[in-house]
Amino acid sequence: MGHLNPQFGTNSFNGERKESPAKPSRGALACIINSEIGAVLAVMRRNVRWGVRYVADDDNLEHPLIHSLKELRKQIFSWQHLWNNIDPFLYLQPFLDVIRSDETGAPITGVALSSVYKILSLEILGLDTVNVGEAMHLIVDAVTSCRFEVTDPASEEVVLMKILQVLLACMKSTASVWLSNQHVCNIINTCFRVVHQASSKGELLQRIARHTMHELVRCIFSHLPDIEKTEHALANGSRSCVHEEVGSPGKGHTSESEQLENGNGGIEYGGQSTAYASTAPMSTSASGMSDGGTNENITECSNRMEPTKNDEKHMMDPFGIPCMLEIFHFLCSLLNVIEHIEFGPKSNPIAYDEDVPLFALGLINSAIELGGPYISKHPQLLAVVQDELFHNLMQFGLSRSPLILSTVCSIVLNLYHHLRTELKVQLEAFLSCVLLRLAQSKHGSSYQQQEVAMEALVDLCRQQTFMAEMYANFDCDITCSNVFEDLANLLSKSAFPVNGPLSAMHILALDGLICMVHGMAERLGNEPPSLKASFDDEGYEAFWTMTCENYSDPNFWVPYVRKLKYLKRNLMVGADYFNRDPKKGLEFLQGMHLLPDKLDPKSVACFLRYTTGLDKNVVGDFLGNHDEFCVQVLQEFAWTFDFQDMNLDTALRLFLGTFRLPGESQKIQRVLEAFAERYYEQSPHILINKDAALVLSYSLIMLNTDQHNAQVKKKMTEEDFIRNNRRINGGKDLPREFLSELYHSISENEIQMIPDQSAGFPVMASSCWINVMHKSKKTSPFIVCDSREPLTYDMFAILSGPTIAAMSVIFDQVEREDVLQTCIDGFLSVAKIAACYHLDDVLDDLVVSLCKFTTLLTPLSIEEAIVSFGDNSKARMATTAVFTIANRYGDYIHSGWKNILDCVLSLYNLGLLPANLASDAEYETDAPSDPDRAKPATTLSASHMPSLAPSRKSSGLMGRFSQLLSFDMEEPRSQPTEEQLAAQQHTRETIQKCHIDSIFTESKFLQAESLLQLVKALILAAGRLRKVTGSIEDEDTAVFSLELLITITLNNRDRIMLIWQGVYEHISDIVQSTILPCTLVEKAVFGLLKICQRLLPYKENLTDELLRSLQLVLKLDARVADAYCEHITQEVLRLVKSNATHIRSHLGWRTIISLLSITARHPEASEVGFEALAFIMSDGAHLLPSNYALCVDAARQFAESRVGEIDRSVSALDLMAGSVVCLVTWSSESKNSVDEEASMKVNQDIGEMWLRLVQGLRKVCLDQREEVRNHAILMLQRSLTGVDGIHLPNTLWLQCFDLVIFVLLDDLLEIVLGQSPKDYRNMEGTLGLAVKLMSKVFLHLLLDLWRLPSFCKLWLGVLNRMEKYMNMKLRGRRSEKIHELIPELLKNTLLVMKTTGLLTPSDAIGGDSFWQLTWLHVKNISPSLQLEVFPAHELEQLQTKQVKAAGIPAPDGTVLVQSSETTA
């Protein structure tokens, strides 16, 4: 048997010894003992009895007690330096004789006890002292056998207190390790008897006695960690002197002890005669207290525990496990008394409950507190805790005394902390049968009981791993009740105040819920959360055979318990089906692969045996059915029980506890036959055959009904029972003792024939405890959870809904700030867990609940709302919580964004948000310094309040409060009160804590789905505001919503397409539905431009999409567009300058150029628009084939515009003409292209662009302004003659003459003839320039075009225009300049044609007609030109040569066309 090692004992109480005085020197010890001798002698001399001389024979002799003291005095001074070698017996014996003597009075005994106490407290006895063990034994024997005469009650109490003092000093002494188990038991027993005696004495003695008892237990069990566990264990524990003293089984239960006799008092070690015991022992009586007799029916083991020789041997060993085991048994025996006390209707059970049991429970708690973790190392101690102690805790857990219940709960909490791995089933039983039932106020429990039980549950919830362990060990165990789920439901329901005010119970339940949530939140680590696994489509597996490979490794047990929970849920559903229709229930279980496709009796039997939630009546009927399959199931069902070495009544209780015995006799017969067969196979004992077991079982059922049915008036006696069971054991009688034991067992403890239908344990009775202990031997190991979170997801799925609802109700009804803060902490923990496991619905529900408490959505006036918000701590706390959740866990908020945005907009309406909340810092820093140029729209804080009132948001954070602090010159306002100022301060602090701006500026970190929901909610809110009354307030809020939307868009450029469609549609709706200028449309337009500016550099693949959106600007109502045209153009200019290189497509440029073109005729915007166009076209910097035609058209519009100065139109023309360089460049690049087809396509496009250019210039040539049209003609000429690097086909040139040059001349002529001279001044010069242009271009292209069949037509067109101009009259008279210019130009043309050989007297171009037609027209223009060009002699020579020639030589020497004669 394990005992205390003296080496450990030396240091085990260093803490205790610190309070002791310093150890005296060896020389001083003699003086100390001498003084104690003198003190005892002095008190003895004061007594008359001791003051006289005793005469015997002839000598005068002193009394032996006085003589021994004096003899000691003679010797002590000779031991100066040898005290360690002196046997303590020599200097202790005289004092101990005085203590044991029944002749001494209380004062003398008291002084002797004080002397012994001083010797112990000064550590005169040390571990190195000779025979220190014997000395300690002598002291204990003497003190526990103390005898003295009682002279007065006061002196008696003093002696009793000193006895306690000495015994406690013995246990605290370093030499206590030498005490034997027997002596420690004697000490405990003596102290307990003093406790009994103290109940009839003074209050001080009572308190000291009880305190000493606690200290002794603490001293003893604090040694448990130092006790060495030896291989030889004491079989079945031991029962020794404690029980002999308190009462033996033969004595039964004593309710009172012997009374005081003859006025003498004393302490004895009851019934155990020692060398120092008095022949007249005496006991004191404790009023209302029992001597603590044992209960024969605690357990079967206790009945067998009687001292043996082996036990006695262990009891004399140095104290250790045997004495601790005895103390546990003794304390439990004090609790057993309660079982046989019946309370009447008028009795006060608390008066009894709070005496002995409470004292015993306190001692047990002290023992477990100090020795708890080491009890499991000693099987004997652990067995007592598992069975006897816990059974008593179950009984006292239902005590009506709150004190007892509180102490029991403290013990259970300690047991859970230290021994939960060994107490799985016991903990389940206590939680289900005691705490959960009491906390639910079931079975008539009082409010005090309910509150204590709730406190105990909350304390358990505060243990870091309690909830996880409850879930893993019970909720995920098929054979156990759902403790976690039941507890969660209990706490959530208890937190709801139903039809009454909020009470402490509601707050307590709330604490429990929040503790559970906090525990889960704290376990969430950095590891990826382990989500619930899926077990669908798995095949059949016998669930009752499933085991885990390693219950200590989460990698093994987590999947295991999850699968068990999955199976358990399906089994519960199957049980529900079975309860309604067994056949359908079994079919369902087969479909869920919980039973095999082909049913077999064993699987069904195991389902009935191990599944919780089954209706016990239905199970009983099913098992008793005569159907062959049901009979086979019954056999297998009975075989699932283990009746090994079990009494018949115990086995029968266990068997009938799993179902209700059917009422029909045949069914009962079948059920009991199966039971009897199984019982006889495993525990035959004295039964000869199974028939004997069957008959006796039937007899026990009948006896149970007889004894416990109220309708049976005449009860069966023991003799009747024995007589009824004669000759049933194979024709022989069973032993009378055997039958008597069965009779008493059934009579005292009813077999529960109607089992409790709840999933947990029934209300615990002695008979039910047998089932608990049986289950504890078969249950799976207790799973210990660490601080990780493998099951948090599973638990939170059960807990979240009720917890949020309960916290919301409490938060709504309570006003105490500490409770409110507790709720807020709980909300944040729920949010943390929900976010960790991506439980969007939970987070949304939480946000919705919290937003209701912000009061921000309550319609109040602005001033009232601000003051109310500042004064309402609940609203401020809820607001802070809402935005804390939004900032921390926004990734997983979906529908909740709507409520959050409602709060944001309400704060904005109250003027409580920072003025720059929706601003974009990066954009603001990029804005130009020019204030006029930099103001794209009204600012966020723009006020719609009357001008004399403070700006609505100009004061930033507390704009609304500025109204309270300012004065109107005409109507002075009152100063704000202290309450208003305090509310202002509270509100400011709250808004600062919320960090609302982070929601939008940090939206780039949101998950895609959350971001999309945020944008949708913002659009919805803004749309809702636009559809309401249309007040200034609503418009302002709609503007703010739009700015937030733009801020989000700009901060999410990397995933713009995710939200772009919604943003675009919202802006489009605003733009197209607005017909008058307003802030909202202004924000929409410039927000759109800002988005394009910021995103184009980063999203080249979205360039077209972004620029297409700018077409919305083109759809603006004319009034709106006019109002914002300048600012729009400024933004477009900024966009072009920063992003021109990123715009490549025709579509994109078309939008940009269209925006610029609009500004050409706008007084304010044209300058900026032209600047943007010039930026694109100057030097061809950003001209592209995709934007060339667009830019040319836009430049033409600026050239034609009369809004700006003429110089701008001239510059526009320069831009147009200068763009030819780009065409030349592109043409040159195309020549290097390998792909000929592509090159041809490019050249064709270039030709079209050039034609577009010259057509545009032609239009400007008709401008009313002289400088513009003249410059346009020059630029046109430049564009027509400066394209040598471009390969333009001849057909294109012919087109150019027809569509550009000829049309230009015709239009100018028409203008001259039809318009007022005031509209077109100095047209003469313009006409001259036009004719020159035609002449120069014709000559420039002459060699290229004369080959064309239509050259003659072209030439005649030229001549025709010259002829018209010659005949034209300006203001009624001919123009001299034109008349001089045209002949000169024509002459020059003819000379060139003559020189090149294109004009000869006889040519092949049209036969003779070309020559003739030429001169025909020339004569109409200037008749003398033919002779000037072709003098007469020269003409004759040419004609002669022409006749002789065979063909017409070309200028390059080749024959171009044969003469008409030859070809004929």
Side-chain angles (χ1 to χ4, degrees):
M1 175 59 70
H3 58 81
L4 191 66
N5 189 325
Q7 293 180 353
F8 293 106
T10 303
N11 300 321
S12 61
F13 273 96
N14 288 339
E16 299 283 353
R17 304 305 303 160
K18 287 181 180 178
E19 299 179 359
S20 301
K23 189 173 182 178
S25 64
R26 295 304 184 184
L29 292 178
C31 298
I32 292 172
I33 293 180
N34 182 62
S35 66
E36 295 304 316
I37 295 171
V40 174
L41 289 174
V43 176
M44 294 181 72
R45 291 188 180 107
R46 291 171 58 184
N47 191 294
V48 176
R49 176 190 299 179
W50 302 99
V52 300
R53 294 179 180 274
Y54 292 88
V55 180
D57 297 333
D58 297 330
D59 298 327
N60 294 330
L61 299 176
E62 295 176 312
H63 192 279
L65 296 178
I66 295 178
H67 179 73
S68 62
L69 289 168
K70 290 182 177 180
E71 288 298 320
L72 176 60
R73 175 176 280 178
K74 294 178 183 178
Q75 302 177 44
I76 55 176
F77 289 100
S78 62
W79 303 336
Q80 287 289 338
H81 302 291
L82 303 174
W83 282 91
N84 286 343
N85 299 325
I86 300 300
D87 191 340
F89 175 81
L90 297 177
Y91 52 83
L92 288 174
Q93 184 66 32
F95 298 103
L96 300 180
D97 289 344
V98 173
I99 293 171
R100 279 195 294 262
S101 173
D102 55 3
E103 299 178 17
T104 55
I108 300 173
T109 305
V111 173
L113 287 167
S114 296
S115 300
V116 174
Y117 173 73
K118 178 179 286 188
I119 292 172
L120 289 170
S121 61
L122 293 178
E123 294 188 5
I124 295 176
L125 297 178
L127 291 176
D128 55 349
T129 304
V130 175
N131 291 334
V132 65
E134 291 297 328
M136 295 298 293
H137 293 171
L138 287 174
I139 294 174
V140 173
D141 289 339
V143 175
T144 55
S145 303
C146 176
R147 298 289 182 270
F148 61 92
E149 292 180 356
V150 179
T151 55
D152 61 275
S155 61
E156 179 187 6
E157 290 185 20
V158 170
V159 172
L160 292 176
M161 283 191 284
K162 290 188 176 182
I163 289 172
L164 297 172
Q165 191 179 42
V166 172
L167 292 178
L168 181 58
C170 286
M171 286 308 305
K172 288 189 175 183
S173 170
T174 56
S176 64
V177 295
W178 292 107
L179 290 174
S180 67
N181 290 300
Q182 184 72 59
H183 285 89
V184 172
C185 289
N186 291 352
I187 291 173
I188 291 294
N189 185 72
T190 301
C191 288
F192 183 71
R193 293 189 64 81
V194 173
V195 172
H196 273 235
Q197 286 182 288
S199 61
S200 61
K201 302 185 184 301
E203 180 72 18
L204 178 61
L205 178 61
Q206 293 181 38
R207 291 181 178 273
I208 289 178
R210 290 174 181 262
H211 174 73
T212 303
M213 193 74 174
H214 277 281
E215 287 295 307
L216 285 171
V217 170
R218 290 191 184 100
C219 285
I220 294 168
F221 281 90
S222 65
H223 285 282
L224 189 56
D226 301 328
I227 292 178
E228 296 177 349
K229 184 179 179 182
T230 57
E231 294 180 357
H232 54 283
L234 181 61
N236 297 326
S238 66
R239 289 287 188 185
S240 63
C241 47
V242 174
H243 284 286
E244 293 178 16
E245 165 62 27
V246 176
S248 64
K251 295 178 182 177
H253 298 277
T254 59
S255 59
E256 59 182 10
S257 59
E258 298 175 357
Q259 303 296 319
L260 291 170
E261 296 178 356
N262 301 324
N264 294 329
I267 301 300
E268 69 166 67
Y269 182 68
Q272 188 83 357
S273 178
T274 68
Y276 308 100
S278 170
T279 57
M282 181 275 303
S283 302
T284 60
S285 173
S287 177
M289 295 182 69
S290 166
D291 270 359
T294 60
N295 178 9
E296 295 177 3
N297 298 317
I298 296 174
T299 60
E300 295 178 11
C301 292
S302 64
N303 286 330
R304 296 194 298 268
M305 287 184 184
E306 296 182 359
T308 64
K309 292 183 179 180
N310 190 40
D311 296 341
E312 293 175 358
K313 174 182 178 296
H314 286 302
M315 293 304 293
M316 298 313 297
D317 289 337
F319 87 89
I321 296 303
C323 72
M324 296 180 187
L325 192 60
E326 288 302 317
I327 292 170
F328 255 121
H329 280 304
F330 170 58
L331 296 177
C332 290
S333 71
L334 297 180
L335 300 177
N336 289 338
V337 179
I338 194 67
E339 286 188 2
H340 299 278
I341 302 298
E342 294 184 0
F343 301 117
K346 296 184 179 179
S347 64
N348 180 13
I350 294 180
Y352 179 84
D353 282 358
E354 291 185 351
D355 200 347
V356 175
L358 185 61
F359 177 60
L361 289 169
L363 295 176
I364 291 171
N365 195 34
S366 296
I368 294 173
E369 285 175 344
L370 289 172
Y374 303 95
I375 291 177
S376 60
K377 298 180 179 179
H378 304 284
Q380 295 78 23
L381 285 176
L382 180 60
V384 176
V385 172
Q386 288 174 323
D387 190 354
E388 190 173 1
L389 173 59
F390 233 107
H391 185 199
N392 284 291
L393 294 178
M394 295 289 295
Q395 299 294 330
F396 280 92
L398 298 175
S399 168
R400 301 180 205 174
S401 166
L403 277 176
I404 287 184
L405 177 58
S406 178
T407 307
V408 168
C409 292
S410 298
I411 294 173
V412 172
L413 179 61
N414 283 320
L415 289 173
Y416 166 78
H417 184 71
H418 298 303
L419 298 172
R420 59 183 180 274
T421 57
E422 310 294 339
L423 300 171
K424 176 179 177 179
V425 178
Q426 289 86 343
L427 286 171
E428 181 196 6
F430 187 82
L431 290 169
S432 300
C433 300
V434 178
L435 292 185
L436 290 175
R437 286 175 179 268
L438 290 178
Q440 295 173 28
S441 190
K442 287 188 176 181
H443 308 289
S445 58
S446 65
Y447 179 83
Q448 290 80 6
Q449 286 176 294
Q450 187 181 358
E451 188 173 24
V452 172
M454 188 67 73
E455 288 174 349
L457 289 172
V458 173
D459 286 339
L460 286 168
C461 291
R462 292 190 176 106
Q463 309 303 308
Q464 186 179 21
T465 61
F466 174 76
M467 299 313 302
E469 290 176 346
M470 294 301 101
Y471 182 80
N473 289 286
F474 303 131
D475 290 56
C476 297
D477 190 327
I478 292 172
T479 63
C480 297
S481 58
N482 293 330
V483 174
F484 170 80
E485 194 167 342
D486 293 343
L487 179 54
N489 291 333
L490 168 68
L491 293 176
S492 59
K493 291 178 181 177
S494 300
F496 274 91
V498 181
N499 301 327
L502 203 64
S503 67
M505 185 68 72
H506 300 128
I507 304 300
L508 191 59
L510 175 69
D511 285 341
L513 280 175
I514 293 179
C515 285
M516 295 167 71
V517 174
H518 281 337
M520 295 181 189
E522 289 172 1
R523 286 195 297 274
L524 297 177
N526 297 324
E527 300 177 5
S530 52
L531 299 180
K532 191 175 180 68
S534 174
F535 302 103
D536 297 337
D537 301 325
E538 292 191 7
Y540 166 72
E541 182 179 0
F543 61 85
W544 60 90
T545 62
M546 292 175 59
T547 57
C548 179
E549 296 181 28
N550 188 342
Y551 284 92
S552 60
D553 186 350
N555 294 323
F556 288 92
W557 66 256
V558 170
Y560 169 72
V561 298
R562 279 189 172 145
K563 184 171 184 178
L564 279 187
K565 183 61 178 176
Y566 170 78
L567 296 175
K568 187 175 182 180
R569 284 198 184 98
N570 291 330
L571 281 172
M572 297 294 285
V573 177
D576 185 58
Y577 279 109
F578 185 88
N579 292 339
R580 287 177 285 176
D581 186 337
K583 182 178 179 181
K584 291 184 178 179
L586 296 177
E587 290 176 353
F588 171 81
L589 293 168
Q590 286 178 292
M592 297 302 296
H593 304 297
L594 293 171
L595 291 177
D597 294 336
K598 183 178 180 180
L599 285 180
D600 62 87
K602 183 177 181 180
S603 62
V604 177
C606 290
F607 163 71
L608 299 177
R609 175 75 167 87
Y610 300 113
T611 303
T612 58
L614 288 171
D615 187 324
K616 307 273 176 89
N617 295 307
V618 177
V619 175
D621 289 337
F622 186 87
L623 293 175
N625 199 303
H626 63 81
D627 181 79
E628 182 180 355
F629 183 77
C630 293
V631 172
Q632 294 174 353
V633 171
L634 174 61
Q635 294 295 326
E636 293 291 345
F637 183 82
W639 251 247
T640 62
F641 289 87
D642 181 11
F643 298 139
Q644 194 74 32
D645 299 325
M646 196 176 289
N647 290 341
L648 180 64
D649 66 309
T650 302
L652 194 58
R653 293 176 197 277
L654 181 64
F655 185 68
L656 296 180
T658 56
F659 62 93
R660 181 179 182 182
L661 195 64
E664 300 178 21
S665 60
Q666 292 181 346
K667 292 185 177 182
I668 295 175
Q669 177 75 19
R670 280 190 290 271
V671 170
L672 290 182
E673 283 177 357
F675 165 76
E677 182 178 353
R678 178 62 172 169
Y679 179 78
Y680 177 75
E681 179 186 343
Q682 290 190 306
S683 300
H685 296 302
I686 58 177
L687 297 173
I688 291 179
N689 53 40
K690 63 180 181 181
D691 293 334
L694 172 62
V695 174
L696 189 55
S697 300
Y698 230 122
S699 182
L700 290 179
I701 296 296
M702 296 174 63
L703 174 64
N704 187 73
T705 304
D706 176 87
Q707 295 294 308
H708 301 287
N709 191 326
Q711 296 179 354
V712 178
K713 302 303 180 182
K714 185 179 180 181
K715 303 295 183 183
M716 185 186 304
T717 64
E718 181 178 347
E719 291 299 326
D720 293 336
F721 178 71
I722 295 174
R723 184 171 55 253
N724 292 340
N725 289 286
R726 286 178 180 173
R727 302 185 183 280
I728 65 171
N729 194 22
K732 298 180 181 178
D733 289 340
L734 290 167
R736 182 181 182 86
E737 296 79 8
F738 177 72
L739 294 175
S740 177
E741 182 180 353
L742 290 176
Y743 175 84
H744 287 289
S745 175
I746 299 298
S747 298
E748 294 172 7
N749 296 302
E750 178 187 4
I751 297 177
Q752 298 292 329
M753 302 299 291
I754 307 178
D756 193 289
Q757 294 288 350
S758 64
F761 288 93
V763 176
M764 192 57 58
S766 296
S767 59
C768 299
W769 185 250
I770 296 171
N771 297 346
V772 174
M773 293 307 298
H774 178 77
K775 182 179 177 181
S776 68
K777 297 175 184 178
K778 303 294 183 180
T779 190
S780 58
F782 189 94
I783 296 173
V784 178
C785 298
D786 54 21
S787 59
R788 288 178 288 179
E789 42 77 44
L791 297 175
T792 302
Y793 174 85
D794 312 70
M795 297 159 59
F796 186 71
I798 298 172
L799 188 66
S800 59
T803 300
I804 293 176
M807 289 192 297
S808 298
V809 172
I810 297 289
F811 192 80
D812 184 37
Q813 298 195 13
V814 78
E815 296 298 332
R816 286 169 43 194
E817 288 205 13
D818 59 329
V819 179
L820 292 174
Q821 187 59 51
T822 300
C823 290
I824 292 296
D825 294 340
F827 286 135
L828 294 178
S829 293
V830 169
K832 179 180 179 182
I833 302 170
C836 179
Y837 293 106
H838 306 178
L839 300 175
D840 310 329
D841 293 341
V842 174
L843 207 54
D844 289 335
D845 292 343
L846 178 60
V847 168
V848 171
S849 297
L850 280 174
C851 287
K852 294 177 182 177
F853 301 121
T854 61
T855 70
L856 295 174
L857 308 180
T858 305
L860 293 173
S861 68
I862 293 174
E863 287 73 13
E864 289 177 348
I866 293 175
V867 174
S868 173
F869 184 77
D871 290 338
N872 191 339
S873 60
K874 182 188 298 185
R876 298 197 310 274
M877 293 169 76
T879 302
T880 304
V882 166
F883 290 109
T884 300
I885 292 172
N887 276 302
R888 291 183 185 174
Y889 313 117
D891 279 341
Y892 309 103
I893 298 175
H894 289 173
S895 61
W897 282 122
K898 175 183 177 298
N899 304 80
I900 294 173
L901 289 174
D902 287 342
C903 294
V904 173
L905 297 180
S906 295
L907 289 172
Y908 175 78
N909 287 330
L910 297 176
L912 301 180
L913 293 182
N916 61 345
L917 179 67
S919 66
D920 186 73
E922 184 178 346
Y923 174 72
E924 296 298 333
T925 56
D926 293 342
S929 59
D930 183 355
D932 295 331
R933 182 73 59 86
K935 184 181 178 183
T938 55
T939 61
L940 173 64
S941 59
S943 173
H944 297 286
M945 304 297 290
S947 59
L948 293 177
S951 174
R952 180 174 179 221
K953 297 176 178 61
S954 58
S955 62
L957 181 61
M958 301 301 294
R960 288 302 186 188
F961 274 106
S962 64
Q963 298 180 20
L964 304 176
L965 303 175
S966 62
F967 292 88
D968 191 293
M969 296 302 294
E970 297 179 1
E971 298 180 4
R973 301 182 181 182
S974 59
Q975 288 283 0
T977 63
E978 292 185 3
E979 290 78 9
Q980 290 173 332
L981 291 174
Q984 172 186 358
Q985 180 64 24
H986 292 154
T987 304
R988 180 183 295 112
E989 293 172 354
T990 300
I991 300 302
Q992 289 174 348
K993 291 178 183 176
C994 289
H995 301 291
I996 299 174
D997 56 330
S998 299
I999 296 175
F1000 307 100
T1001 58
E1002 301 299 321
S1003 61
K1004 58 189 173 184
F1005 300 114
L1006 287 178
Q1007 296 283 348
E1009 181 61 26
S1010 179
L1011 174 65
L1012 190 60
Q1013 294 296 331
L1014 172 59
V1015 170
K1016 287 182 178 179
L1018 200 50
I1019 293 173
L1020 182 64
R1024 188 173 64 249
L1025 289 167
R1026 292 178 55 239
K1027 293 177 182 178
V1028 292
T1029 58
S1031 64
I1032 293 177
E1033 296 282 339
D1034 293 327
E1035 182 189 356
D1036 199 15
T1037 307
V1039 170
F1040 177 67
S1041 301
L1042 179 60
E1043 288 185 325
L1044 292 179
L1045 188 61
I1046 293 170
T1047 299
I1048 293 173
T1049 305
L1050 293 176
N1051 279 284
N1052 287 274
R1053 66 190 184 195
D1054 293 330
R1055 46 183 178 172
I1056 182 65
M1057 291 311 297
L1058 180 68
I1059 60 176
W1060 176 246
Q1061 188 62 32
V1063 175
Y1064 173 76
E1065 289 177 359
H1066 179 61
I1067 295 176
S1068 175
D1069 187 37
I1070 295 173
V1071 168
Q1072 298 186 51
S1073 62
T1074 307
I1075 59 174
L1076 292 174
C1078 63
T1079 307
L1080 182 60
V1081 71
E1082 182 182 6
K1083 287 292 181 184
V1085 171
F1086 293 107
L1088 187 60
L1089 287 165
K1090 183 195 294 186
I1091 291 171
C1092 291
Q1093 289 177 29
R1094 292 285 297 279
L1095 299 186
L1096 281 176
Y1098 304 100
K1099 293 294 176 182
E1100 293 185 5
N1101 58 324
L1102 301 178
T1103 301
D1104 291 346
E1105 183 70 27
L1106 293 170
L1107 293 176
R1108 186 186 296 114
S1109 67
L1110 293 182
Q1111 293 177 2
L1112 288 176
V1113 181
L1114 303 175
K1115 299 178 182 180
L1116 283 170
D1117 185 271
R1119 289 166 289 186
V1120 178
D1122 185 66
Y1124 304 122
C1125 189
E1126 181 182 4
H1127 293 154
I1128 291 173
T1129 311
Q1130 290 173 356
E1131 295 303 316
V1132 174
L1133 172 61
R1134 185 179 292 115
L1135 185 149
V1136 168
K1137 286 186 174 181
S1138 58
N1139 298 290
T1141 56
H1142 301 102
I1143 306 173
R1144 314 298 298 180
S1145 69
H1146 173 75
L1147 178 63
W1149 279 115
R1150 185 176 67 183
T1151 305
I1152 296 294
I1153 303 303
S1154 297
L1155 292 172
L1156 297 179
S1157 300
I1158 294 174
T1159 66
R1161 290 174 176 80
H1162 195 280
E1164 291 84 10
S1166 60
E1167 180 181 351
V1168 182
F1170 184 72
E1171 182 183 347
L1173 184 62
F1175 176 80
I1176 298 172
M1177 297 185 67
S1178 294
D1179 302 325
H1182 300 291
L1183 278 176
L1184 301 168
S1186 58
N1187 68 359
Y1188 183 85
L1190 298 169
C1191 290
V1192 167
D1193 289 342
R1196 177 186 58 78
Q1197 294 182 47
F1198 276 100
E1200 293 175 343
S1201 174
R1202 306 187 67 173
V1203 172
E1205 299 292 333
I1206 291 178
D1207 291 344
R1208 185 190 302 160
S1209 297
V1210 173
S1211 298
L1213 292 169
D1214 291 339
L1215 291 176
M1216 293 177 71
S1219 65
V1220 174
V1221 177
C1222 291
L1223 297 178
V1224 174
T1225 303
W1226 298 336
S1227 179
S1228 175
E1229 291 174 353
S1230 69
K1231 293 177 182 179
N1232 300 325
S1233 174
V1234 177
D1235 190 346
E1236 294 183 2
E1237 184 177 350
S1239 178
M1240 291 176 60
K1241 179 65 170 62
V1242 170
N1243 286 326
Q1244 182 181 351
D1245 293 340
I1246 291 174
E1248 294 175 357
M1249 288 186 278
W1250 171 79
L1251 184 61
R1252 187 75 170 265
L1253 168 65
V1254 294
Q1255 285 180 322
L1257 287 172
R1258 177 195 65 79
K1259 294 178 181 179
V1260 186
C1261 293
L1262 305 177
D1263 197 277
Q1264 291 182 344
R1265 296 166 295 173
E1266 179 185 1
E1267 295 88 342
V1268 174
R1269 65 174 179 265
N1270 290 344
H1271 193 70
I1273 294 174
L1274 294 175
M1275 293 300 103
L1276 178 58
Q1277 179 179 320
R1278 175 180 166 188
S1279 300
L1280 291 170
T1281 59
V1283 291
D1284 293 339
I1286 305 175
H1287 176 69
L1288 296 175
N1290 294 332
T1291 54
L1292 188 61
W1293 280 111
L1294 294 177
Q1295 261 186 300
C1296 178
F1297 271 96
D1298 291 337
L1299 300 177
V1300 179
I1301 300 175
F1302 292 158
V1303 172
L1304 172 62
L1305 269 67
D1306 295 341
D1307 290 343
L1308 287 174
L1309 183 61
E1310 184 179 349
I1311 290 172
V1312 170
L1313 298 177
Q1315 298 293 333
S1316 170
K1318 294 181 179 180
D1319 296 333
Y1320 288 86
R1321 298 181 181 276
N1322 198 13
M1323 284 296 293
E1324 189 176 14
T1326 303
L1327 294 174
L1329 291 174
V1331 175
K1332 287 180 180 180
L1333 178 144
M1334 181 180 63
S1335 177
K1336 288 184 178 181
V1337 173
F1338 181 79
L1339 290 175
H1340 184 72
L1341 299 171
L1342 180 61
L1343 296 180
D1344 294 324
L1345 298 180
W1346 76 272
R1347 305 180 186 186
L1348 298 178
S1350 57
F1351 177 74
C1352 182
K1353 180 181 177 182
L1354 175 64
W1355 169 238
L1356 293 177
V1358 172
L1359 294 176
N1360 187 36
R1361 269 67 182 181
M1362 288 184 175
E1363 183 179 350
K1364 289 181 179 180
Y1365 272 57
M1366 284 295 292
N1367 298 327
M1368 173 193 67
K1369 292 184 179 181
L1370 288 172
R1371 302 182 186 92
R1373 55 188 179 84
R1374 293 190 308 175
S1375 170
E1376 295 298 332
K1377 290 184 179 180
I1378 296 298
H1379 271 260
E1380 293 177 0
L1381 177 62
I1382 290 177
E1384 182 179 349
L1385 294 175
L1386 181 55
K1387 179 181 178 182
N1388 187 43
T1389 303
L1390 292 171
L1391 288 172
V1392 172
M1393 295 176 71
K1394 171 187 173 183
T1395 304
T1396 57
L1398 297 180
L1399 183 63
T1400 60
S1402 178
D1403 57 52
I1405 301 178
D1408 294 335
S1409 63
F1410 181 77
W1411 173 267
Q1412 296 169 359
L1413 289 175
T1414 298
W1415 295 117
L1416 178 63
H1417 284 83
V1418 170
K1419 288 177 181 179
N1420 292 333
I1421 298 169
S1422 176
S1424 62
L1425 274 181
Q1426 184 174 10
L1427 293 177
E1428 293 179 11
V1429 176
F1430 287 94
H1433 66 279
E1434 187 176 344
L1435 180 60
E1436 291 178 359
Q1437 293 176 357
L1438 288 173
Q1439 289 176 345
T1440 302
K1441 291 179 181 180
Q1442 215 40 43
V1443 171
K1444 295 179 178 181
I1448 302 173
D1452 57 358
T1454 61
V1455 177
L1456 298 176
V1457 180
Q1458 291 182 342
S1459 66
S1460 57
E1461 293 84 355
T1462 306
T1463 57

